[in-house]
Amino acid sequence: MTDSSTRDGFNTSRRDFLKFGGLAAAGTTLGAAAGAGFVLGRDPDANVGWGRTEAGKDMFFNRKPFEVDHAPTLEIVGPVERPEWSDFLFNRYPVIGQAIMDGWNPNNGWETIEDERVREYYSRHPDRWPEMLQAFVEMDRRSQHRGKHRDRFALAWAYGNAYDKGLMTANFPPVPYEHPDVDDFKWVKGEPAKFKSPAHASKLVKQMAFKFGMSIVGITKLDHSFVFKNMMRMGGSNRNWGDEVPKHWKNIIVFGAPMNWDPMYAAAGYSTSYDAYFRARMATGLMTAWLGELGYAGRPQWPGRDYEVILPPIAIQAGMGEASRNGCLMTPELGPNIRLAAVITNLDLEPDKPVNLHMREFCEECKICADACPSGSISQADKPDDVVRGYKKFKFNQDSCFRFWSTAPTDNGKGCRICIAVCPYTRKNNWIHTVVKEMDPRDPSGITRKALLAMQHNFFYYPEAEAYHPDWTGGNFAGYHEPPEWLRTENYLDVEKTWEYDGNWEGF
Ligand code: SF4
Ligand code: SF4
């Protein structure tokens, strides 16, 4: 068990904390709150999500009092640059894999790979190359061991793979094929319908995003500094339009949905991102088709790989939330449990403003995700310790993160999500969480934050980071939560249960 309360700003062990007379009383209160939270967490209505947007207006956080002109977690401290093709891990990893299959020996070093874009990336991040190399070793190791655990994980793998099949075989919306000046207009019918004002257009577009199954939506002008270089999608013959951002890419509607909460809490082995990816992809198609019916262009961007823009900072500009220590967008309603998609359009829209919810201060004190990360990919620094393309942020090693994905006991190593599961912001929609998310941004003293973190550290169990590993790399398949009953094979399949679960009880 990790006693992660020992750190700057809250330097007590669990036992010491309970010894303090005054704090013991606070502990009783917090314990009662934790108990109430537990009971409420059992209520299916506590699930914030894509299915509740019509009836669940109570889940929305009023951002208005926190609007600012510039997002505090998008602080510019150097020259701003557009991202390179190779900055996206899922561009360079398949190229490296293909080179290995073609006979290239990765032990000769990144300097010897033919693809100059991959060489350019690792010339900027040479420390990350051993992690990528190890990822391929881990993939091989996993393929040797994985089958032995099918009795335990069969239902989780089936759940994730059902959505994977849906994503891989869907042709909706179709991948852009022609130049954006053509492709983005392919569903446009007639002259553009005239909206009463950009504000009316924004209001309706947001309602439509909810009706298309999304949980949070924001709108902003497209900032070209978040458009990848050399990454325009197309399958047709005309590939030569360079890096120019099309003129009709004016505004971007960005939205997202959470991963199903209970499998996500049981990351890594029982979780998948594909449920949320699937819903988000479908929403981009529906939104693009809806815009086309009204005479406007639409360029869909969907997870996990079909992006031409980097969405988390765009979502921050659109006021959906702030940047978190673990490299995600963190929202008040869903925490970092949100998978993003977007539609770029030429429709005139009223943009949202960014917000300051003091999430950076929360992340500076919290560090729970960094303690839990089984690959050590998340910075433990007290303050943001990196500059990426001109923006100040916490250091994050995407190659070592991917190395753990390749180790993780999911089917085919599709992700991890532990840093999302353990985050105190990733919590269901009950009154305790509502109170905390309303109070913390309004509390300049930081007492709310400290009390919440004390509760997290003292009343919830955190497996050691190593325990999240599979047994073939020294772990025991731990999760922040035990899996939900519908993913426990022993409840439904004729299997012999030979394992114990390591995690908080699924009801929390
Ligand atoms: S996804 Fe897993 S390995 Fe990657 S940063 Fe999060 S906890 Fe670490
Ligand atoms: S776990 Fe803590 S430090 Fe990590 S993203 Fe969540 S709030 Fe921030």
Side-chain angles (χ1 to χ4, degrees):
M1 185 183 287
T2 303
D3 186 351
S4 47
S5 62
T6 304
R7 59 169 64 94
D8 292 348
F10 200 79
N11 198 19
T12 59
S13 70
R14 178 173 313 201
R15 185 175 299 164
D16 290 343
F17 170 79
L18 292 171
K19 270 191 205 162
F20 291 135
L23 285 179
T28 309
T29 310
L30 293 173
F38 153 69
V39 172
L40 289 162
R42 300 287 292 166
D43 181 347
D45 275 352
N47 285 279
V48 183
W50 62 279
R52 290 199 68 226
T53 47
E54 297 276 343
K57 293 217 183 312
D58 59 306
M59 78 185 204
F60 293 109
F61 178 85
N62 179 13
R63 288 161 169 78
K64 207 81 198 153
F66 304 100
E67 287 182 346
V68 289
D69 289 331
H70 192 82
T73 55
L74 286 179
E75 189 183 349
I76 297 172
V77 290
V80 171
E81 294 163 22
R82 279 173 65 186
E84 299 283 348
W85 172 95
S86 61
D87 286 329
F88 191 34
L89 185 135
F90 289 102
N91 281 339
R92 57 180 193 279
Y93 141 70
V95 169
I96 297 167
Q98 187 61 50
I100 294 171
M101 277 164 53
D102 293 345
W104 171 69
N105 182 354
N107 292 316
N108 291 340
W110 56 265
E111 299 90 340
T112 63
I113 196 168
E114 195 178 337
D115 194 300
E116 64 179 325
R117 300 167 301 181
V118 176
R119 289 202 306 271
E120 188 276 331
Y121 178 84
Y122 287 105
S123 70
R124 281 186 279 136
H125 302 288
D127 53 313
R128 295 185 183 179
W129 175 247
E131 300 285 357
M132 176 55 83
L133 206 53
Q134 189 62 24
F136 285 97
V137 174
E138 298 297 351
M139 282 178 223
D140 191 42
R141 203 146 57 129
R142 193 191 63 238
S143 65
Q144 292 166 26
H145 289 271
R146 191 190 128 275
K148 286 185 281 189
H149 299 285
R150 186 160 188 263
D151 276 2
R152 177 172 177 166
F153 290 106
L155 294 180
W157 293 349
Y159 176 72
N161 285 339
Y163 279 109
D164 185 14
K165 294 263 181 326
L167 272 170
M168 293 304 154
T169 58
N171 189 28
F172 183 78
V175 176
Y177 191 78
E178 301 290 348
H179 189 284
D181 287 349
V182 176
D183 209 289
D184 300 357
F185 292 81
K186 65 181 178 294
W187 288 343
V188 170
K189 269 195 193 160
E191 290 300 307
K194 199 166 179 309
F195 279 89
K196 288 178 188 292
S197 71
H200 283 85
S202 287
K203 185 178 174 197
L204 186 59
V205 158
K206 287 182 179 178
Q207 288 193 59
M208 297 315 297
F210 295 141
K211 294 189 191 312
F212 294 147
M214 296 295 96
S215 298
I216 307 179
V217 55
I219 292 169
T220 186
K221 292 201 176 310
L222 181 65
D223 182 338
H224 293 193
S225 59
F226 299 125
V227 180
F228 279 103
K229 292 188 205 166
N230 293 310
M231 239 183 89
M232 299 277 176
R233 295 169 295 170
M234 57 92 66
S237 54
N238 179 11
R239 301 185 66 93
N240 301 319
W241 64 77
D243 271 344
E244 204 178 320
V245 178
K247 290 201 172 32
H248 63 274
W249 286 19
K250 284 161 62 176
N251 294 307
I252 181 162
I253 308 155
V254 55
F255 42 67
M259 298 175 281
N260 194 329
W261 290 78
D262 294 322
M264 179 276 303
Y265 279 133
Y270 291 89
S271 66
T272 179
S273 304
Y274 288 1
D275 49 5
Y277 284 4
F278 185 78
R279 292 175 189 125
R281 174 173 180 167
M282 293 303 125
T284 65
L286 295 167
M287 181 64 81
T288 305
W290 182 84
L291 287 166
E293 290 290 319
L294 295 172
Y296 295 96
R299 181 79 168 183
Q301 312 283 325
W302 66 80
R305 297 177 50 175
D306 239 329
Y307 295 120
E308 290 150 318
V309 294
I310 298 186
L311 281 181
I314 292 174
I316 293 167
Q317 289 177 325
M320 292 170 72
E322 298 189 66
S324 59
R325 179 184 288 272
N326 60 8
C328 299
L329 166 76
M330 194 148 79
T331 67
E333 294 90 349
L334 307 172
N337 181 21
I338 179 167
R339 295 303 187 177
L340 295 170
V343 176
I344 301 168
T345 182
N346 60 352
L347 171 61
D348 282 332
L349 293 163
E350 183 180 70
D352 290 299
K353 294 188 82 171
V355 289
N356 182 2
L357 302 170
H358 300 282
M359 286 175 170
R360 168 156 291 170
E361 288 92 318
F362 197 101
C363 280
E364 285 174 0
E365 270 184 56
C366 171
K367 301 186 184 177
I368 287 175
C369 56
D371 289 340
C373 175
S375 63
S377 302
I378 303 171
S379 170
Q380 289 275 2
D382 293 335
K383 298 276 176 192
D385 53 347
D386 202 2
V387 178
V388 177
R389 295 185 296 279
Y391 293 90
K392 194 170 170 182
K393 63 186 295 258
F394 283 106
K395 208 171 263 176
F396 183 81
N397 187 333
Q398 47 176 253
D399 288 59
S400 58
C401 172
F402 182 64
R403 189 241 306 150
F404 182 73
W405 291 24
S406 310
T407 310
T410 52
D411 206 12
N412 301 319
K414 288 167 183 159
C416 163
R417 297 164 282 271
I418 289 164
C419 54
I420 297 175
V422 298
C423 176
Y425 269 90
T426 310
R427 294 296 173 260
K428 292 176 180 178
N429 187 35
N430 62 44
W431 68 265
I432 293 172
H433 299 135
T434 304
V435 168
V436 171
K437 75 189 175 199
E438 292 289 341
M439 279 176 64
D440 183 54
R442 293 178 166 88
D443 174 8
S445 73
I447 288 173
T448 309
R449 182 163 67 238
K450 285 189 189 330
L452 178 71
L453 287 170
M455 186 162 90
Q456 280 295 139
H457 290 138
N458 288 283
F459 295 106
F460 293 89
Y461 165 60
Y462 286 96
E464 297 286 352
E466 294 73 29
Y468 291 108
H469 281 259
D471 60 358
W472 63 87
T473 55
N476 64 359
F477 302 108
Y480 178 58
H481 280 192
E482 294 180 359
E485 70 82 24
W486 54 276
L487 289 182
R488 295 180 186 220
T489 52
E490 70 274 20
N491 288 351
Y492 293 94
L493 302 182
D494 185 12
V495 296
E496 185 189 352
K497 182 170 177 275
T498 57
W499 56 88
E500 294 301 323
Y501 295 113
D502 182 5
N504 289 289
W505 187 41
E506 58 163 311
F508 279 99

